[in-house]
Amino acid sequence: LENTLLHAESGGGAARCVLMDFGMASMMLTEGGQQRHRNPPNTAGKVFYLAPEVWKELKTAPPRTPYDGVHADVWSVAVMIVMMMSGCPIFDTPGEACGRFRHLKKTGSVSKILHQWTKHGIPPFSPELHDLLNRIFRIVPDQRIGVGLALEHPWVVGDLGDPARLQVYQAMMNTYEYVRFNFVDAAGAAGLAALGENPEYTRCLTTLGEQVNSYASIGGATNALRAVCRRSLPLLPGAW
């Protein structure tokens, strides 16, 4: 991987990854830290690391639309994960010229691509890693899993090999995405603040959190949370 080093202390112990070469890095927050910068696209770096929204703008004539660097970096991290696990990038370019990218755009999943790679001697990816990559490799930037949620993913924390635990995480994330994509954008700040003061909503969140932490069945809690949101918030056009 370019610009990625392994660093080990002289006293021994496990090595850790260190990123280097921030010469083309962009500021993430505006002055005061209240708002994320929108970054203008540039031609630095390998194209197979780029998120599709960055590649799309590079292929258009100026002036170019700035992109959200956090969403784009999450995509690039997923490319790095695939390269560490397989030795090659998942897409030649993140655009229509690449057949694998067209497959992602059509199906919304990279699992079939990764399964096919096992025919060429690449070890199979775990179900947990399939789930994480499918939550990152989403063409619409704000539909990708956030950094905080990704850091809690079973593959990242090493909680592997238990299908029941993965199912609990998936049910939790599916509920989160249902609420976020169907209600949150339409509610606005005032609507969300009112929802946060709803005792029923608070009870549902508390129950869901307790059951997730204990890896209990969360079907009832997720259904209850969805019902509260349906009663309390406006539904977006074309919602589930």
Side-chain angles (χ1 to χ4, degrees):
L1 294 175
E2 294 86 352
N3 300 329
T4 307
L5 306 177
L6 280 177
H7 173 75
E9 300 291 345
S10 57
R16 57 191 176 92
C17 286
V18 178
L19 300 180
M20 59 169 288
D21 190 1
F22 289 85
M24 296 297 295
S26 301
M27 294 293 294
M28 189 180 81
L29 298 176
T30 58
E31 188 173 351
Q34 298 302 311
Q35 185 177 355
R36 291 217 294 256
H37 272 294
R38 305 286 295 182
N39 303 309
N42 61 71
T43 56
K46 304 287 195 303
V47 296
F48 52 72
Y49 285 117
L50 298 179
E53 64 272 18
V54 183
W55 177 244
K56 179 181 177 182
E57 290 303 319
L58 289 177
K59 301 291 285 183
T60 61
R64 296 178 174 128
T65 303
Y67 63 93
D68 187 304
V70 175
H71 293 320
D73 281 353
V74 168
W75 177 286
S76 299
V77 167
V79 175
M80 293 177 67
I81 291 173
V82 173
M83 291 184 68
M84 287 190 289
M85 299 298 292
S86 69
C88 55
I90 188 166
F91 307 114
D92 299 323
T93 59
E96 295 291 335
C98 176
R100 294 188 296 276
F101 182 85
R102 293 197 303 271
H103 174 82
L104 168 65
K105 187 175 180 179
K106 180 179 179 181
T107 66
S109 171
V110 296
S111 287
K112 185 176 181 179
I113 298 170
L114 301 178
H115 285 311
Q116 288 179 337
W117 281 7
T118 61
K119 300 176 182 178
H120 304 284
I122 295 175
F125 288 19
S126 68
E128 291 82 3
L129 184 51
H130 274 270
D131 182 82
L132 176 61
L133 294 176
N134 282 323
R135 295 186 187 281
I136 294 177
F137 285 129
R138 294 180 176 176
I139 295 174
V140 178
D142 63 5
Q143 291 185 4
R144 295 169 199 153
I145 189 172
V147 175
L149 290 170
L151 290 174
E152 297 176 4
H153 192 279
W155 188 81
V156 176
V157 301
D159 197 358
L160 308 175
D162 186 342
R165 294 192 176 195
L166 178 59
Q167 289 170 6
V168 167
Y169 179 87
Q170 289 171 329
M172 178 191 72
M173 284 300 302
N174 290 343
T175 297
Y176 165 79
E177 292 179 350
Y178 173 84
V179 173
R180 176 186 171 194
F181 298 144
N182 290 314
F183 299 104
V184 169
D185 289 340
L192 291 177
L195 181 64
E197 296 174 358
N198 184 330
E200 187 180 7
Y201 175 78
T202 303
R203 283 196 302 271
C204 289
L205 279 184
T206 301
T207 302
L208 179 61
E210 291 171 349
Q211 292 180 347
V212 167
N213 289 335
S214 63
Y215 291 100
S217 173
I218 63 173
T222 57
N223 289 336
L225 183 61
R226 292 183 183 202
V228 172
C229 290
R230 282 196 298 268
R231 291 195 297 270
S232 306
L233 295 175
L235 193 65
L236 285 174
W240 307 352

